[in-house]
Amino acid sequence: LAGQFLQLEQEQSALLRMLPPFQDPVSHIYHPLDYAWELHSDFVRRYCSTPKRVLFLGMNPGPFGMAQTVPFGDVWHVREWLRLEGTVNKPPSEHPARPVLGLSCQRAE
């Protein structure tokens, strides 16, 4: 089930990349399933391995800009409570005021 879900996400992400580019004033677009795929797929494999009645979609960007860890914004919860592991890379075009620090982020949300 988790593998099917991840495959569907990759297909949908590919469709999103085919959209025309945004115009001004949009200067940066983050695709967290690209730069944080490893951490996200760990979450899906751990917690989406059996059928569920509810599926939450979306992402909480948190008070510091784009989420540091997908799909959660608070690093402590990702690392300690959910026990997720994985690399969070930098997005190809990172806004200087909204850096993605991944699991090394020291701020709590």
Side-chain angles (χ1 to χ4, degrees), residues 87-102:
T87 302
V88 177
N89 299 304
K90 294 284 190 180
S93 176
E94 185 178 58
H95 192 285
R98 301 287 186 261
V100 174
L101 305 172

Side-chain angles (χ1 to χ4, degrees), residues 11-102:
E11 291 169 8
Q12 294 300 309
S13 288
L15 291 172
L16 284 173
R17 282 190 287 279
M18 294 171 47
L19 291 174
F22 286 93
Q23 304 298 316
D24 286 337
V26 177
S27 62
H28 294 76
I29 299 172
Y30 286 25
H31 295 282
L33 290 185
D34 291 340
Y35 67 81
W37 178 256
E38 200 175 295
L39 190 65
H40 171 70
S41 61
D42 186 31
F43 170 78
V44 171
R45 288 188 201 320
R46 286 176 189 254
Y47 299 107
C48 300
S49 60
T50 59
K52 307 287 188 244
R53 293 186 61 184
V54 176
L55 172 64
F56 292 99
L57 298 175
M59 180 173 54
N60 173 15
F64 309 120
M66 182 54 85
Q68 298 298 324
T69 55
V70 177
F72 306 98
D74 189 79
V75 173
W76 183 91
H77 285 95
V78 171
R79 192 182 315 119
E80 305 300 325
W81 190 63
L82 293 172
R83 305 265 184 227
L84 297 181
E85 298 177 353
T87 302
V88 177
N89 299 304
K90 294 284 190 180
S93 176
E94 185 178 58
H95 192 285
R98 301 287 186 261
V100 174
L101 305 172

